[in-house]
Amino acid sequence: MTDNARVASALRPGGRSWWIETPANPTLAVTDIATVAELAHRAGARLAVDSTFATPVLTRPLELGADLVMHSGPST
Protein backbone atom coordinates (compact mmCIF):
# COMPACT_ATOMS: atom_id res chain seq x y z
CA MET A 1 0.00 0.00 0.00
CA THR A 2 3.00 2.32 -0.01
CA ASP A 3 3.41 2.22 -3.81
CA ASN A 4 0.54 4.24 -5.30
CA ALA A 5 1.17 2.98 -8.84
CA ARG A 6 0.89 -0.64 -7.69
CA VAL A 7 -2.28 0.15 -5.75
CA ALA A 8 -3.82 1.76 -8.85
CA SER A 9 -2.84 -1.20 -11.05
CA ALA A 10 -4.40 -3.68 -8.62
CA LEU A 11 -7.85 -2.10 -8.85
CA ARG A 12 -10.69 -4.20 -10.18
CA PRO A 13 -14.18 -2.99 -11.08
CA GLY A 14 -17.08 -3.85 -8.85
CA GLY A 15 -15.49 -3.31 -5.44
CA ARG A 16 -17.78 -1.45 -3.08
CA SER A 17 -15.33 -0.72 -0.28
CA TRP A 18 -11.62 -0.73 0.43
CA TRP A 19 -10.04 -1.24 3.83
CA ILE A 20 -6.56 -0.02 4.69
CA GLU A 21 -4.54 0.03 7.88
CA THR A 22 -2.05 2.84 8.29
CA PRO A 23 0.45 2.75 9.81
CA ALA A 24 0.36 -0.96 9.07
CA ASN A 25 0.91 -3.58 11.74
CA PRO A 26 3.64 -4.83 12.28
CA THR A 27 5.76 -2.95 9.72
CA LEU A 28 4.46 0.56 10.48
CA ALA A 29 4.43 1.27 6.71
CA VAL A 30 2.42 4.42 5.99
CA THR A 31 -0.20 4.56 3.22
CA ASP A 32 -0.98 7.82 1.42
CA ILE A 33 -4.61 8.07 2.56
CA ALA A 34 -5.52 10.98 0.27
CA THR A 35 -4.29 9.22 -2.87
CA VAL A 36 -5.90 5.89 -1.99
CA ALA A 37 -9.17 7.68 -1.14
CA GLU A 38 -9.10 9.36 -4.54
CA LEU A 39 -8.47 6.02 -6.28
CA ALA A 40 -11.26 4.34 -4.31
CA HIS A 41 -13.76 7.09 -5.04
CA ARG A 42 -12.82 7.11 -8.72
CA ALA A 43 -13.58 3.37 -8.76
CA GLY A 44 -16.94 3.98 -7.05
CA ALA A 45 -15.82 2.49 -3.74
CA ARG A 46 -15.72 3.83 -0.20
CA LEU A 47 -12.51 3.89 1.82
CA ALA A 48 -12.34 2.64 5.39
CA VAL A 49 -9.18 3.28 7.42
CA ASP A 50 -7.94 1.47 10.52
CA SER A 51 -5.93 4.24 12.14
CA THR A 52 -5.35 2.57 15.50
CA PHE A 53 -1.61 3.18 15.62
CA ALA A 54 -1.80 6.79 14.47
CA THR A 55 -4.71 7.86 16.72
CA PRO A 56 -6.74 10.99 15.91
CA VAL A 57 -3.98 13.10 17.44
CA LEU A 58 -1.57 12.24 14.60
CA THR A 59 -3.79 11.43 11.61
CA ARG A 60 -7.30 12.48 10.63
CA PRO A 61 -8.31 10.19 7.76
CA LEU A 62 -11.72 11.82 7.28
CA GLU A 63 -9.96 15.09 6.45
CA LEU A 64 -7.86 13.18 3.90
CA GLY A 65 -10.86 11.72 2.06
CA ALA A 66 -11.65 8.51 3.96
CA ASP A 67 -15.31 7.63 4.42
CA LEU A 68 -14.99 5.60 7.61
CA VAL A 69 -12.33 5.48 10.33
CA MET A 70 -11.78 2.88 13.02
CA HIS A 71 -9.63 3.13 16.12
CA SER A 72 -9.33 0.31 18.59
CA GLY A 73 -8.21 0.40 22.15
CA PRO A 74 -7.70 -1.86 25.11
CA SER A 75 -10.71 -3.33 26.81
CA THR A 76 -11.21 -2.54 30.46
Side-chain angles (χ1 to χ4, degrees):
M1 296 301 293
T2 60
D3 183 335
N4 293 330
R6 288 183 71 190
V7 172
S9 70
L11 301 179
R12 301 294 177 262
R16 293 176 45 188
S17 63
W18 296 3
W19 182 271
I20 64 172
E21 177 185 31
T22 186
N25 184 13
T27 65
L28 297 181
V30 176
T31 299
D32 181 346
I33 297 169
T35 298
V36 175
E38 181 181 330
L39 292 170
H41 295 153
R42 200 178 318 152
R46 292 184 175 183
L47 179 66
V49 178
D50 178 341
S51 189
T52 298
F53 280 177
T55 77
V57 172
L58 299 174
T59 304
R60 297 182 183 201
L62 294 176
E63 294 174 7
L64 298 171
D67 300 293
L68 177 75
V69 181
M70 195 246 350
H71 300 280
S72 63
S75 60
T76 55

